[in-house]
Amino acid sequence: MRRSIPLLALFVGAGCSDLSQVEGGVVSLEVTAPNPAVLEVHESAQLSARALNSDGVAIAAPIVWSVADTTVAVDPSTGIVTGTAPGQGRVFASVGSLQSAVITFSVLAPADTIVIPGDSILTVTADQAASAPLLVRMDSFSPPGVVDGRPVIFTITSPDPSTTPLTVGLPNGLAEDTVATAADGTSSVVLTRLPAFVPPLTVVVTVRATRTHGATVPGSGQNFTVSFP
């Protein structure tokens, strides 16, 4: 499912003394950008701009897009901006000597995969109230390394919580929990017995995550199988 991305409009105008110097009657530029302006490396977003005359009416003018940092790249004619390296990236539009307000993007390392670095099959004995941590890690390939601060969603998928009352739960007794990755790229939850209920023999917990613009992170859909013998 494609996510709707909020947009932010920014203005910049030429001073009164500059009006005669702006080509084609353009006195201001209105640019529209995603809000928040966040990209992962290799992700793209569409920017747009309108050239306005002194009456605030949009007029045809050759708008050119440029960047001030190597962390982003932009197509000069279409305004499609792409993250190229982690950091802050500045983009602006121009008509002749008139430049728009600067749009600053936060460029994040790409969430290229989710891995289960340890056991995906766990056992909770009768004397244990909770499972060992269900641990996943989010990695980036380019640049290589772990990815921190990204949400990972853990969901009980079997028995189906929509048809079967919960007898074990994620934190706070829920069927689903979202946990951001830590500085080492890992995220985890535990599965806890709910008081006065007999757990099923097996519970399946599925993990998933999305990139900043909604694409599914590869590795999503992996399962933990937790047994309650």
Side-chain angles (χ1 to χ4, degrees), residues 31-95:
V31 294
T32 304
N35 184 26
V38 178
L39 289 172
E40 290 185 20
V41 173
H42 311 309
E43 279 189 332
S44 297
Q46 178 69 64
L47 304 177
S48 62
R50 296 195 307 157
L52 306 177
N53 64 17
S54 58
D55 295 321
V57 177
I59 58 177
I63 296 173
V64 178
W65 292 92
S66 304
V67 299
D69 305 285
T70 58
T71 52
V72 289
V74 70
D75 186 297
S77 59
T78 65
I80 295 176
V81 60
T82 303
T84 58
Q88 299 291 307
R90 293 167 293 170
V91 187
F92 59 90
S94 60
V95 173

Side-chain angles (χ1 to χ4, degrees), residues 62-140:
I63 296 173
V64 178
W65 292 92
S66 304
V67 299
D69 305 285
T70 58
T71 52
V72 289
V74 70
D75 186 297
S77 59
T78 65
I80 295 176
V81 60
T82 303
T84 58
Q88 299 291 307
R90 293 167 293 170
V91 187
F92 59 90
S94 60
V95 173
S97 61
L98 179 64
Q99 292 186 355
S100 74
V102 171
I103 303 163
T104 301
F105 280 88
S106 294
V107 184
L108 309 177
D112 286 323
T113 188
I114 298 174
V115 298
I116 297 177
D119 292 333
S120 62
I121 300 176
L122 301 93
T123 299
V124 183
T125 60
D127 60 341
Q128 293 176 310
S131 70
L134 282 57
L135 181 72
V136 301
R137 190 183 70 237
M138 192 175 292
D139 290 342
S140 167

Side-chain angles (χ1 to χ4, degrees), residues 7-54:
L7 301 177
L8 175 66
L10 301 172
F11 265 105
V12 70
C16 292
S17 61
D18 298 324
L19 295 183
S20 62
Q21 302 175 20
V22 180
E23 297 178 359
V26 178
V27 299
S28 66
L29 288 170
E30 180 190 53
V31 294
T32 304
N35 184 26
V38 178
L39 289 172
E40 290 185 20
V41 173
H42 311 309
E43 279 189 332
S44 297
Q46 178 69 64
L47 304 177
S48 62
R50 296 195 307 157
L52 306 177
N53 64 17
S54 58

